[in-house]
Amino acid sequence: MLYGGDYNPEQWPRDVWEHDMRLLREASINEVTLNVFSWAALQPDEQTYDFSRLDDIVELVSNNGMQIIMATSTGALPAWMSFKYPDVERVDFDGRKHRHGARQNACPNSPTYRRYAAELAGKLAERYSSLDNLVAWHVSNEYEGMCYCPNCARAYRDWLRGRYGSIDHLNSVWGTDFWGHTYDSFDQIYPPDRAGDGSYDDPCAVLPAASLDYARFFDDSVIGAYKVEKEAIRNVDQHTPITTNFMGNFYQYDYQHWAKDIDIAAWDCYPRLGTPPSDTAFWHDVIRCLKQRPFLLMEQTPSRMNWMPYNALKRPGQMRQQSWQAIAHGADSVQFFQMRRSRYGCEKFHGAVIDADGTDKTRTFQEVAALGRELAQVGSLIVGSMPKARVAMVFDWSSWRGLRNAIGPSTDLDYLREAKAMYAELYRRNISVDVVSADADFSVYDVVLAPTLYIVSEHHAARLNDYVQHGGTLVLTVMSAISDEHDVLHQGFTPAPFHETSGVWTMETDALAPDCTVPLCFGGGASKSIEADADHHESEPAGRVLCDIVVPDDDTEVLATYGEGQFYAGKPAITRHREGSGLCYYAGTFLNVPAMREFIGSVLAEAGIPTIETDPGVSINTRYTQAGEALTFIINDTAEPRTVAIPRDGVDLLAQAPVALKAGVATQLPPFGVMLLR
Amino acid sequence: MLYGGDYNPEQWPRDVWEHDMRLLREASINEVTLNVFSWAALQPDEQTYDFSRLDDIVELVSNNGMQIIMATSTGALPAWMSFKYPDVERVDFDGRKHRHGARQNACPNSPTYRRYAAELAGKLAERYSSLDNLVAWHVSNEYEGMCYCPNCARAYRDWLRGRYGSIDHLNSVWGTDFWGHTYDSFDQIYPPDRAGDGSYDDPCAVLPAASLDYARFFDDSVIGAYKVEKEAIRNVDQHTPITTNFMGNFYQYDYQHWAKDIDIAAWDCYPRLGTPPSDTAFWHDVIRCLKQRPFLLMEQTPSRMNWMPYNALKRPGQMRQQSWQAIAHGADSVQFFQMRRSRYGCEKFHGAVIDADGTDKTRTFQEVAALGRELAQVGSLIVGSMPKARVAMVFDWSSWRGLRNAIGPSTDLDYLREAKAMYAELYRRNISVDVVSADADFSVYDVVLAPTLYIVSEHHAARLNDYVQHGGTLVLTVMSAISDEHDVLHQGFTPAPFHETSGVWTMETDALAPDCTVPLCFGGGASKSIEADADHHESEPAGRVLCDIVVPDDDTEVLATYGEGQFYAGKPAITRHREGSGLCYYAGTFLNVPAMREFIGSVLAEAGIPTIETDPGVSINTRYTQAGEALTFIINDTAEPRTVAIPRDGVDLLAQAPVALKAGVATQLPPFGVMLLR
Amino acid sequence: MLYGGDYNPEQWPRDVWEHDMRLLREASINEVTLNVFSWAALQPDEQTYDFSRLDDIVELVSNNGMQIIMATSTGALPAWMSFKYPDVERVDFDGRKHRHGARQNACPNSPTYRRYAAELAGKLAERYSSLDNLVAWHVSNEYEGMCYCPNCARAYRDWLRGRYGSIDHLNSVWGTDFWGHTYDSFDQIYPPDRAGDGSYDDPCAVLPAASLDYARFFDDSVIGAYKVEKEAIRNVDQHTPITTNFMGNFYQYDYQHWAKDIDIAAWDCYPRLGTPPSDTAFWHDVIRCLKQRPFLLMEQTPSRMNWMPYNALKRPGQMRQQSWQAIAHGADSVQFFQMRRSRYGCEKFHGAVIDADGTDKTRTFQEVAALGRELAQVGSLIVGSMPKARVAMVFDWSSWRGLRNAIGPSTDLDYLREAKAMYAELYRRNISVDVVSADADFSVYDVVLAPTLYIVSEHHAARLNDYVQHGGTLVLTVMSAISDEHDVLHQGFTPAPFHETSGVWTMETDALAPDCTVPLCFGGGASKSIEADADHHESEPAGRVLCDIVVPDDDTEVLATYGEGQFYAGKPAITRHREGSGLCYYAGTFLNVPAMREFIGSVLAEAGIPTIETDPGVSINTRYTQAGEALTFIINDTAEPRTVAIPRDGVDLLAQAPVALKAGVATQLPPFGVMLLR
């Protein structure tokens, strides 16, 4: 199992490098990611390449037995390129042309940038692909941001021509007769910046279809820039995996759309102060399902971040717990940003394995070293194993983007938050989940949850309807299937494409005032009206943010109704409908924690999917080796001790001395404690 | 009575149009507003006009017996014009030239825009003015926004030359020696954007006179653009009323200044979640008084808006209640945005008479149809009748703008809020109010309220002083008459132009800390100090935001003093002064609800204007027909049942069956219930 | 003692001027500051100068016995210059070129601006330097703001060439290999605006060294512009003091760096509603220590400001109290903005000695006149005397700027706030403090407090270490000595340059969640855990914002440990270490009020510096005349009466009649009362 991360020794004299090696070996580090931001050094001018310093670093780390992930260094432009070829620089939403600065600063549609990036990637491949200890190529670094420049405008028009053929077709699909926006030619179309239709209210969109298309085009643009580097490497090196590092919570880049072009999924995991562990697990599951294979945890901080408002230290044991959580969800590496703390630049307050003191005396170093010993011992058992999930959640970038663009019905509507809220209930129940795209093969799952699947094409709707017909259980919610893939309203009884399957018509949707909730009555029983007392506001089931006025079909079962407080008191809120051999649930409001517990509980019970009840903050996950052996990870996500009932007979591989454990025996987990049951 | 609204059938195939007609007739819709955003379709290029689709729509709705309000479609530019003649596009406050996008996107001073807008309006008039069912022309749509482009700069300089003659005169009036701003020529004057004197802090103004003048100039610019269309229509059609639709709460456009150029007042009424009914009534009264004739309620939503943060549904009965409130205040139409819900574009979450299901089954449709039946029955009785008011409130755009521009004395000072706060107390008392400009004929009113009349020219001051001399009752407040029409301080004992009439000198004005209030003691009695307990903070009379240190003349009566808490405890806060045959009240602080109740109560009692006391949320208004018959509207503004004492004998025209009602009899009003007493 | 301030009679006709003179003499005003914003009037075009109006004003005030501080009027550009020579106008952070507007609008690096500013200053000197009543030249006015224009870019490159010689050296010092930022030549360097490295997140800096250098360069630029005027005056007038008026709380301009170029320190003091008196005193002490001589209180408002959100009136007596506070801390003048309230422009709500009524009847006028009488009586005794301080606080603009630029560790970290928090405890104890730069002569102080001295060069560290070695007492805190003068991390055991002196290693630093605190246990005793009860949250000693994990040396004494709540409970929080003949304290967290009291109390006790305990809000300060006589100022900073024990025998010079007062006698101070004990 890879254990390492970013190493940028350029900031120190060479005697420090040797010193670093000794410390890193002491910490059982076996991998370094090199060359992340060295373009200016590797290519000091347009004609010259100079790999001498990188050669030295490669030799050093190789001699010290480290494996290498080699970055291509194209995440930040060299100054000479920015000034000689200004087309490589981006134009921002406000129309401002940028100069040399920041990072992820290249326009992905700049031919100059693409040409030189490919040339550099090719030269790196020629020089280093034969290294025995090269384990992967890492193209660029944390792709992010948008560009609105003339390069992009031209490329966008070509992309649109390819997609729509004629301007009339585009006008029709985009609905440009709205507010008289009709275009006469593709030449009149520009990226939606503040001077155009982005101007109304960032990030709201006058023409949602145009905004969606620009996002999709931009995905293709950045993927295109990635692929010219990938191809340059592949010309030389046909075997080493090629990837780039993704991030969580970025609606701008659709990683599911990227998946086909990466060889192994990798991401950088930075939970902030107060991030629930289930939110982190959600993204682990998204990333694992991109390739349905183990992924790389390519970055995390060993101690603190610097770019959050409040950069708390990871508590003793917490870095270990987070690392094991990643592994439990499918990571085959534990990597850090970074090996040694920056001397300068805006990340100098970011944590590192080696701090400014340059010793092994820090708590951080010692925890890194302890985890290194553990991984050296058991890592090879784990590598290649995978979780198995009977439940899938559909997570859809188009719905995310569409709802971000939407003007109405409520500014409190947050696609990502609602997906995570439903995921959290599955996490609490220790149920393995695949978080997949709308193109996934649903037939392998007993239950498919599709919260807030706002954008659904006819094609995707047909796949999900078919899944229910053939016995699947589908869960839909308020704001389902409002729009098609161009964010054009489906006509008919909402959710029109699922009207028959769901057995409901959501006649209208009420937006609640901020902090207002509506009580929910399950099972026909009376629900108490929710009291204003803040201490109890989560104690009773309730709906949040939006409430559908649901009109159920005659054969639709009502699982919950709205309680007192609004004019739709007593009306259906949650329903279930049998269609074909399957079941379709519809939740007409976003559920608070007690309501989610009740609702998901009944869905799972009906589907025969067992919950593993644990104390709050204890999570249990299992990976299965290719030989079928189960590896069960029992993790205390909290800073307090917890008790857990051992889920099955086994041996804790992380215990000081191996102990046979019996299923059902109550066992103590220390704060942030971890057991690995074989 | 017109019952209808915006109809944009262009988004659907023609078979849907026929279907729509059937449904709209079922809802008693008798009018449609057409052609609001069709410029791009009507004039597909510079040389070509194509009215064929509009012809079809006109024929369809005419055949279905609908009346037509015909928009001129100039509220959004066609793309070819934006790109061929960029001078039609606006430059924003930040200096950014806009491209094709959004709406209300034309520079009103662009000669190109004016030429083509007039040409289109003329062609529409030629084609459709002979229609029997044409009831009005609707120029552009919801004029809004500002422009700071070179067209505007040139036109502004011409406007200033016309107003001031010489640059020396302008320097003197504007006070440009402040901070050495003296101009050498008109060519040095630019619109006050962020690169100039708007730069200090938007929307604050270094030279308040300049900012006021730009606002006035811009009024004239947009009115000018409106008038070229109006004139083009009048060249063809001498009779049909011409108007445009105003909006509430827009300080940028002075509708009182517009009034002379519209034939009938019209506005779009969009109260948001939590807007008090009195705020809505306030704007109805502003709009009615523009022409002192019934107005058009040209838009409202039948169910929900989309562009608010929280777009709650109108409750059952609430759309009807709001419609009747408009009528009670002088509306002669009830119109909706819109007939059918948009399929695409950023308003697709906005409510409509016909929803995406395309049926008559929605609650919204059924409520629209029910109101339609009611209006069909009684509307013709009401049309042309008017309220009668003995009380006027002066609402003054210059004061509003001047205080928005002001740097100091408190950011909590809000002209519109204070006007509405005083209006709310009259609304609670069911007293009919005319909300008028400072140019109104005050002699017809017993009481004139002029809250926060910050900007008062000598001319306007003389009119109000004269009104008091001849027996009127005038109410002034803190921040009265600080500045003249150029926002230059009146010199003398503040409020200098009213010093004699008011009998007070407001020596200084204290700004209170946020959420701080000062208790007020009325009638010499002791007022308890206000406790911190949030539940009681409105229970005792108190002053808010600003407190004058009032120095009364010897013959000035003190009605209230400040209570404990500030150094001016015991000093006069509210006074009354007899001048000539009249009375002038001065409130030296903004009043909370109990203080406003006490103060306005004593003003009205002295003036002999009776209050009609009702339960909270019940409002009673009367319109008088030209024959002198009274039509009394009794409305429950709330979602709870209310009891009302019938104010006079009559018959409720809205009852299922006519019932004779006796004055004084307590009667139940259901939630949002309405009675129309003849 | 000077008593006067800004006088701008240009806004009124000349008969008003005479009237003003009578009133100002009535108020004992003996000085006016003239000509602050008259450039446009003095130089109506490029070729013409016209001093006639200024001559008249000078004659008028001279005839009335007033002294004159003559401004050079260069704080706002004349319009003709802005339009004829656009290079004089600034470019803002967003890249926007400004037009004529606002004030402090000149680019300090514009050759045009410098040429004409010097020419005007020279002509003023020629014309007025021979006046008997000229007491000082006042260059420009309230220098502020930044510029990012091409003039500045060119000058910046020259400045950098001068500083670093070669681009390689600059790359090395700035750490440009971070994110591949390496520059190939100085021509690639631009001011850090939003299009460059300022773009990431204003005001955060990708390359902190670059941001620091731009701030230093800009200091030099504005000082350069100041100096061309100063030199033009000095060519004519070798004797009159030359200065400009500084402001508080402006991190952009390093007044300690300015100090050598001003002849007398002067500042404008505008405490806002709620500013603690100790914050005001802090800035008085900063300003006094610039020259270690009495300073000018060049502006304050006699009643209210206008540019705060809430512009409360100064309470009765409060203007007097604030004036005496300034004097107690070393002011040798009391000056107001302004003599007469503006008729127009954005400062028309600002208070003035004479209000819009133009009389002596206002409370403000009467308080000004009363203070004038007092100063006329005792002022000459005070002038030239100085406080004596045994305690110094280091206040360092580089640390302030560096922490503002920093991304991490906590957005709640505020250098200025922490300096003021420590100062407040000294103020409470009535201990005289010099607030000095890191270049001060520390040997004259018993205690040097260096809170949050984030940036420390080797040179400055050596001076402080040396100070301790030779017997001094040094107080350091969390975030001390993290970076060198280029904001590059010191390598070693943090705080590396003070590691030996402080006897601690701060292994890690935790950032607390908002509003979270950590209890502190002093003296080994147990500290109660802090309860959530808001009323008590300041009652127990606690740490705030950041908490170091402190590793003390063996010979380091632990003064306080962390209480319960975080994983470092029980660990050292505050330490003391004896080094050489001195002592070094280290506080590993920011202290709340009780903890600061405890900590500073023990530091002072150990150093033998006595506290003068007074009731809350009573402050006692002493100035010593050159003859060694003590003048003790006893001031009630509050609006309530207070009792004070007379600190020594003396006579109150401000009493109605002189009374001999005995040390220790309890005496009543009325609200905002002041005694001056001789």
Side-chain angles (χ1 to χ4, degrees), chain A residues 309-312, chain C residues 409-414 417-418 478-479 509-518 542-548 568 588-592:
Chain A
Y310 302 92
N311 297 283
Chain C
S410 169
T411 53
D412 281 356
L413 172 54
D414 180 332
R417 188 179 61 189
E418 299 307 337
V478 55
M479 295 303 288
T509 304
D510 194 31
L512 299 177
D515 302 322
C516 174
T517 59
V518 176
R544 298 178 294 106
V545 183
L546 295 172
C547 292
D548 281 331
Y568 36 87
T589 177
F590 295 119
L591 305 180
N592 72 351

Side-chain angles (χ1 to χ4, degrees), chain B residues 34 53-64 68 131:
Chain B
L34 298 178
R53 190 178 66 183
L54 183 55
D55 285 348
D56 293 351
I57 295 169
V58 164
E59 187 184 354
L60 175 82
V61 302
S62 301
N63 289 346
N64 279 276
I68 292 171
L131 287 171

Side-chain angles (χ1 to χ4, degrees), chain C residues 545-575:
Chain C
V545 183
L546 295 172
C547 292
D548 281 331
I549 313 290
V550 176
V551 181
D553 289 351
D554 290 344
D555 61 347
T556 299
E557 188 182 352
V558 175
L559 299 187
T561 55
Y562 294 111
E564 290 304 308
Q566 304 291 341
F567 70 88
Y568 36 87
K571 296 281 176 68
I574 305 179
T575 62

Side-chain angles (χ1 to χ4, degrees), chain A residues 10-12 37 40 44 53 76-80 83 96-103 144 273 304 306-307 309-316 340-349 355-357 359 361-364, chain C residues 94 175 177-184 188 190-191 193-197 199 205-206 208 406-412 454 479 482-483 487-493 505 507-514 566-568:
Chain A
E10 299 83 355
Q11 301 187 10
W12 294 270
F37 285 114
R53 188 177 67 185
L77 296 163
W80 61 260
F83 289 99
R96 193 180 291 108
K97 178 74 178 176
H98 281 240
R99 258 185 278 105
H100 187 58
R103 68 185 218 185
E144 66 169 324
L273 182 60
R304 64 172 174 177
N306 72 296
W307 37 276
Y310 302 92
N311 297 283
L313 297 171
K314 293 192 179 182
R315 280 27 213 161
R340 190 179 181 102
R341 180 172 169 194
S342 290
R343 283 182 60 216
Y344 36 61
C346 67
E347 294 185 323
K348 69 180 184 295
F349 289 117
D355 208 322
D357 56 281
T359 75
K361 296 185 179 177
T362 62
R363 176 177 69 92
T364 297
Chain C
D94 287 310
D177 57 4
F178 179 79
W179 290 0
H181 267 48
T182 312
Y183 294 104
D184 307 309
Q188 290 171 344
Y190 284 79
D193 65 3
R194 202 184 291 280
D197 268 331
S199 63
V206 172
I407 303 180
S410 169
T411 53
D412 281 356
Y454 165 69
M479 295 303 288
I482 304 293
S483 289
D487 206 353
V488 172
L489 291 190
H490 289 294
Q491 301 290 292
F493 292 100
W505 169 36
M507 187 173 66
E508 343 178 50
T509 304
D510 194 31
L512 299 177
Q566 304 291 341
F567 70 88
Y568 36 87

